[in-house]
Amino acid sequence: AAAALTREGGEDAFRRLFRLYRQRDVSDLRGVVDFSVPGSQVFRSQLSISSVSDQDASRAGLRPVSQWKAYGLNGYPGFIFIPNPFLPGCQRHWVKQCLKLYPQKPNVCNLDLHMAPEKTIDLWGQSKEQLRMKSSSKREPRSLLEKLRWVTLGYHYNWDTKKYSANHHTPFPSDLAFLSEQVAAACGFQGFQAQAGILNYYHFDSSLGIHVDESELDHSRPLLSFSFGQSSIFLLGGRKREEAPTAMFMHSGDIMVMSGFSRLLYHAVPRVLPNPEGTALPFCLDQALSSDLPVGSVVEHSSDEDWQVCAKYLQSSRINMTIRQVLAEGQKFPEESETNTKGRAPSENSHHQENGSTKRHKPN
C-alpha cells in the first residue's frame, strides 16, 4: 500500500505516506523498519569507541560504547540509529527530568501562551496527585502535565520567526549537556556543544508535522534525538517532499543522530503506538536504577512516589528530546532588530498536531 501511494500523482509522496501511517486502521506495518530486527535496508555503523571512556558513559547512564549497536540506512548517509544504549533504570532519570525539572522556569513551554506565569511555575506539583489517581477513563480532564506539548531549553526557539536569538537564552541543563556530548563523541563528533533543546510530549492522538530542522546557524554539527515511553513511527525523507520517506519504529531508549547529508532532510512523526511488548510500559522502564552509581554520575535516583507519577504518565505517552548545537565555535548571531530578538510566543499548535490536524513546517 505504501509503495502504491508513492506512485500516485497530486499530493507529494511524503504527505501521502504521512496520511497513510496517521490512519488508526492501518494494521499492516511490515514496511516499517525495525532496528531490533534489522533487515536488508539496514547496515552496521562504526562508532568511535575510544572517544568516550567507560567511566564517562556510565556517568551519563549509558553502557560502554563497545556494547552499543549502531545502524545506518541505505540512501541516508550521516544517519545513525542506536537502539537503547542506556544502563538499566537510567531512562527513568531523563523521564523525571522532562516531567519534573525541565518544564520549570526559566525554561519555556506551550502552557505559557495562555496561562498566567504563576500558574505554570510548578506543573509537577499541580499534576502529580491527579496523575497518580487517574484511571483509564478518557473522560477525566487532563492534568497540566498532560497538556504539555513542548518545552524549550538553552537558546529558545522562536516558533513564529523560526529563529534563535542571543537574548532569548537560559542556562542549558548540565546533565543533559553531558549525556549529549558523550553520544555525539561516540558518533565521531568531538566537541559537540548542547546549546538548544526542544522536548516534545506526545500522546496516542499526537503527531509531529513534516518539517526540516534548519534554523541552527551551524549545520555541520549533528541533531540528537532521544525517545522514552511508548513507541512511534518516524518518517525520514529527502531534501524534497516529492521523495518518499522511509518509515521506522522508535522505541523507548532509542537514539537517532542526523548529521551530514541527513541533517537537513524532511522528517515527521505521524503516529504514536503502544510499545510492542504489549505491556503498559516497556520492560526497560520497569527496571530500577542500581543503588551503586558511579562517582560524578549525572543520573539521580527517583523516589518511588515520583516514578509512580512518571509511569502513569508514560502509559499513554511518549517523550522525545532533540538536542542541537546552534552556533559554531566563535560564531555569533547576526544583528537583528529588537522586535525580532525578543522571542515572540509561538502559536499553541506550532509544533504539535493532534486529532489529524497537521500544520506543515516550511523551510526558511
Side-chain angles (χ1 to χ4, degrees):
L5 277 172
T6 62
R7 292 193 295 268
E8 291 181 6
E11 201 173 30
D12 66 71
F14 201 126
R15 179 69 178 163
R16 287 196 294 271
L17 281 177
F18 183 96
R19 288 177 56 241
L20 171 71
Y21 287 116
R22 179 81 182 129
Q23 296 170 10
R24 297 294 167 202
D25 56 354
V26 174
S27 56
D28 185 357
L29 300 177
R30 287 175 295 178
V32 182
V33 174
D34 190 343
F35 288 93
S36 63
V37 283
S40 58
Q41 199 172 354
V42 173
F43 60 89
R44 287 293 293 267
S45 286
Q46 296 297 315
L47 293 170
S48 182
I49 295 174
S50 61
S51 296
V52 180
S53 68
D54 291 355
Q55 181 183 13
D56 281 345
S58 180
R59 288 175 58 208
L62 300 164
R63 298 196 303 271
V65 178
S66 59
Q67 297 178 16
W68 299 7
K69 292 180 179 178
Y71 300 99
L73 273 177
N74 289 325
Y76 296 95
F79 175 79
I80 303 172
F81 193 102
I82 305 170
N84 185 14
F86 289 93
L87 289 164
C90 288
Q91 288 187 51
R92 291 187 175 190
H93 169 83
W94 303 108
V95 171
K96 183 192 73 174
Q97 299 295 79
C98 287
L99 291 175
K100 186 176 182 179
L101 183 67
Y102 298 157
Q104 293 181 12
K105 297 292 165 276
N107 298 329
V108 183
C109 73
N110 63 292
L111 298 179
D112 297 327
L113 309 184
H114 53 82
M115 295 179 67
E118 62 271 15
K119 297 288 187 180
T120 60
I121 289 176
D122 186 15
L123 302 180
W124 176 268
Q126 296 182 68
S127 305
K128 60 182 182 181
E129 282 306 314
Q130 186 180 350
L131 264 174
R132 193 162 41 193
M133 304 302 292
K134 199 175 184 70
S135 69
S136 57
S137 172
K138 294 183 179 179
R139 297 179 182 177
E140 295 183 47
R142 284 184 169 178
S143 66
L144 287 179
L145 274 180
E146 290 171 298
K147 293 179 181 178
L148 201 58
R149 291 292 171 267
W150 51 260
V151 169
T152 54
L153 311 171
Y155 286 113
H156 297 283
Y157 186 66
N158 184 318
W159 305 94
D160 287 342
T161 64
K162 295 184 170 53
K163 293 181 180 180
Y164 301 93
S165 63
N167 56 351
H168 196 203
H169 174 269
T170 56
F172 194 92
S174 59
D175 57 347
L176 184 52
F178 185 76
L179 169 69
S180 304
E181 289 158 9
Q182 307 318 306
V183 171
C187 294
F189 295 95
Q190 293 279 11
F192 175 83
Q193 298 176 46
Q195 297 174 337
I198 298 178
L199 315 181
N200 285 319
Y201 301 80
Y202 298 84
H203 306 299
F204 284 132
D205 57 354
S206 301
S207 63
L208 176 64
I210 305 165
H211 68 286
V212 177
D213 291 302
E214 61 180 0
S215 299
E216 296 74 28
L217 274 64
D218 181 17
H219 296 153
S220 68
R221 311 305 277 171
L223 184 146
L224 311 180
S225 171
F226 302 85
S227 287
F228 305 107
Q230 301 299 324
S231 300
S232 70
I233 294 176
F234 179 79
L235 298 179
L236 182 61
R239 294 286 175 93
K240 299 178 180 179
R241 289 175 55 133
E242 289 72 23
E243 299 176 49
T246 296
M248 62 195 81
F249 289 115
M250 288 199 73
H251 303 305
S252 192
D254 291 349
I255 300 174
M256 288 193 314
V257 179
M258 296 171 67
S259 68
F261 172 82
S262 294
R263 176 64 179 79
L264 296 173
L265 300 183
Y266 279 101
H267 55 279
V269 178
R271 189 172 172 188
V272 176
L273 301 165
N275 90 82
E277 297 165 19
T279 51
L281 291 179
F283 174 70
C284 59
L285 287 170
D286 280 336
Q287 297 173 289
L289 185 63
S290 169
S291 58
D292 186 22
L293 293 175
V295 175
S297 174
V298 301
V299 174
E300 302 171 341
H301 286 98
S302 300
S303 69
D304 290 341
E305 178 186 6
D306 281 356
W307 180 245
Q308 285 176 10
V309 177
C310 294
K312 196 73 171 181
Y313 177 91
L314 288 182
Q315 286 180 10
S316 60
S317 304
R318 167 182 179 257
I319 298 172
N320 178 256
M321 312 187 300
T322 58
I323 314 302
R324 307 111 189 280
Q325 178 169 334
V326 177
L327 300 167
E329 189 74 32
Q331 190 176 20
K332 294 183 179 180
F333 289 101
E335 292 293 329
E336 294 183 354
S337 64
E338 186 177 350
T339 55
N340 285 338
T341 59
K342 288 186 177 180
R344 290 167 51 211
S347 61
E348 168 70 18
N349 292 318
S350 58
H351 202 53
H352 260 277
Q353 302 77 33
E354 297 198 46
N355 301 322
S357 174
T358 305
K359 176 178 178 179
R360 300 184 184 186
H361 286 238
K362 297 179 181 179
N364 291 347

